[in-house]
Amino acid sequence: MAEIVADADRAAGYAMRGLQAKVIDGVGRQIVSGQYQPGDLLPKEAELTDHFGVSRTSVREGMRVLAAKGLVDIRQKIGTRVRQPEAWNVFDSDILRWHTEVGRGDEIMRNLVEVRQIMEPAAARLAAGRASMDDLRRMDDALAAMVTNSTNREGYAHADVEFHLAVYAASHNVLLRQFGSVVADFMYASFNVQQATAADDEVFLEDAETHAAVFHAINGGNGERAADAMLRVVLDGKNALIKALSEQRDSTS
């Protein structure tokens, strides 16, 4: 999954470095895939040490990170137990990535677009009353990049994500901005799937026009119009995503 924002701007929090990264990535992916079910005890520390070829310290550090992500519960004299999915930090970028890598990305994409239906119109409404000149310039630059990349689907997806991040930033609400940063990579993956069904480049130009309506409403200080325009953008994307995922299933069945 392509990187959209710098690690410093993320809210996912726990960078995977060193030997413990092998433990975090390996066990995390196994939990998300269902290899370890909620309530299961993970293998003993010695088994994990042998399996991943790391020290006990690396295993302990890895387990602490997985606990911070909400995946496991560590209990002295009992062991490390997998937690229920509702306890997981699903906005953590590693957990989002693992869902995609184990073939569960469709479910998260659908959930994400539903959350965006709530969050992004609200961000656009706030942006209409709070956007600075720098915010407006960032949105305008992203729109220009979308038009420029109308024949380059990867470039278009990057510009598309940048526009949405610019709107979140222009809301000047730290929680909305953080949400955008956390899900940026997943938005990129979602947009790539949505665009897979585009018949021709005209679709991208039309999509850029719907985004431009959001920008013009924000630039004009009309919060309700900005929210309505953003909802249309998200719903258009939702319909394209549903169509693309359906076609993907049909092609593999």
Side-chain angles (χ1 to χ4, degrees):
M1 194 178 296
E3 292 292 328
I4 305 295
V5 292
D7 286 343
D9 293 329
R10 288 188 182 282
Y14 297 91
M16 294 195 294
R17 298 187 181 92
L19 293 175
Q20 70 264 33
K22 295 173 65 177
V23 180
I24 298 166
D25 200 53
V27 176
R29 189 182 290 105
Q30 289 171 329
I31 291 172
V32 172
S33 72
Q35 183 173 334
Y36 295 121
Q37 291 290 313
D40 286 353
L41 284 171
L42 293 181
K44 300 287 187 182
E45 189 176 276
E47 294 179 56
L48 293 173
T49 297
D50 291 340
H51 179 76
F52 290 105
V54 299
S55 68
R56 291 191 173 219
T57 298
S58 293
V59 169
R60 291 187 195 122
E61 290 175 351
M63 290 301 107
R64 281 197 286 268
V65 171
L66 291 174
K69 293 177 183 291
L71 292 174
V72 300
D73 184 32
I74 304 171
R75 296 289 181 90
Q76 293 292 330
K77 298 182 181 180
I78 296 177
T80 301
R81 193 179 299 276
V82 177
R83 299 183 72 188
Q84 296 294 325
E86 54 265 30
W88 301 354
N89 178 10
V90 293
F91 290 126
D92 181 283
S93 61
D94 292 326
I95 294 178
L96 288 171
R97 175 172 56 82
W98 291 327
H99 274 85
T100 300
E101 291 175 350
V102 303
R104 296 184 58 195
D106 291 8
E107 175 187 349
I108 291 295
M109 284 184 188
R110 291 176 187 274
N111 290 336
L112 173 61
V113 78
E114 289 176 354
V115 174
R116 288 179 55 220
Q117 284 180 232
I118 301 168
M119 304 286 269
E120 292 195 30
R125 183 182 292 108
L126 289 174
R130 299 178 178 180
S132 67
M133 292 301 295
D134 284 342
D135 292 325
L136 294 172
R137 189 176 301 111
R138 181 180 176 185
M139 283 181 258
D140 197 27
D141 287 346
L143 278 173
M146 290 171 74
V147 173
T148 300
N149 287 283
S150 61
T151 60
N152 176 354
R153 300 194 179 194
E154 182 176 353
Y156 189 91
H158 278 287
D160 197 347
V161 173
E162 169 61 13
F163 179 84
H164 289 272
L165 292 181
V167 173
Y168 278 119
S171 74
H172 291 274
N173 179 295
V174 67
L175 297 181
L176 285 172
R177 179 170 185 166
Q178 191 172 80
F179 173 79
S181 295
V182 168
V183 301
D185 282 352
F186 227 72
M187 277 199 290
Y188 174 82
S190 176
F191 293 166
N192 267 335
V193 172
Q194 291 168 207
Q195 294 159 12
T197 59
D200 52 48
D201 299 336
E202 287 298 317
V203 173
F204 295 97
L205 292 174
E206 291 171 5
D207 184 63
E209 288 178 4
T210 62
H211 285 70
V214 178
F215 170 71
H216 292 311
I218 292 173
N219 190 33
N222 191 322
E224 291 310 310
R225 185 176 296 173
D228 289 344
M230 181 60 87
L231 181 58
R232 179 189 170 191
V233 167
V234 176
L235 291 177
D236 284 350
K238 180 180 181 179
N239 291 333
L241 178 63
I242 291 171
K243 178 182 178 183
L245 291 176
S246 177
E247 290 184 1
Q248 283 184 355
R249 283 196 305 273
D250 291 344
S251 66
T252 57
S253 60

